[in-house]
Amino acid sequence: LQLVESGGGLVQAGGSLRLACAASGRAFSNFAMGWFRQAPGKEREFVAAINWSGSSTYYADSVKGRFTTSRDNRKNTLYLQMNSLKPEDTALYYCAAAKSLVARGQEGAYDYWGQGTQVTVSS
């Protein structure tokens, strides 16, 4: 499974961005999906997860109420809508796929990773 993120960029605090993760190579709907991020000098951290059908989502406390993840299995694409962005959201954002129908915040549960897309939030 290949994953390619897009949609990152520079935005002012309070603004919004929508990230996308295009999957190819295997049946997208067989995988639970997740978003992670890594800020400079920090470890990679969990952001959001979604089950295989999109009926269940799970978020880190730091983004709950501001970020929404969704998926379109017909388009083999995962999304992350980010609203009310803060400077501390600045990071390289990765999408990841788990060979299971449900996955949450553990990095080890994910088997495939994209290369990341940079999000920079200015104050």
Side-chain angles (χ1 to χ4, degrees):
L1 185 71
Q2 290 78 46
L3 303 172
V4 179
E5 302 93 338
S6 63
L10 174 64
V11 64
Q12 288 188 330
S16 298
L17 281 175
R18 188 192 196 200
L19 305 185
C21 172
S24 62
R26 300 186 70 173
F28 180 64
S29 60
N30 288 346
F31 296 85
M33 300 295 295
W35 290 98
F36 291 79
R37 67 186 181 186
Q38 188 168 21
K42 295 187 176 181
E43 293 187 352
R44 189 159 56 187
E45 64 175 2
F46 168 74
V47 174
I50 188 167
N51 71 337
W52 70 277
S53 67
S55 62
S56 177
T57 55
Y58 181 67
Y59 297 94
D61 287 343
S62 59
V63 306
K64 202 171 294 182
R66 300 188 297 123
F67 290 11
T68 303
T69 190
S70 61
R71 65 191 296 163
D72 186 338
N73 287 345
R74 297 168 301 172
K75 295 182 178 180
N76 294 340
T77 304
L78 173 72
Y79 301 100
L80 183 68
Q81 178 67 45
M82 305 186 295
N83 298 328
S84 302
L85 282 161
K86 304 176 182 180
E88 51 264 44
D89 294 318
T90 295
L92 187 62
Y93 282 71
Y94 300 89
C95 67
K99 288 190 287 188
S100 62
L101 300 182
V102 179
R104 290 201 167 180
Q106 303 86 357
E107 277 197 44
Y110 293 86
D111 303 284
Y112 302 95
W113 293 82
Q115 294 299 307
T117 185
Q118 179 68 39
V119 172
T120 303
V121 184
S122 63
S123 57

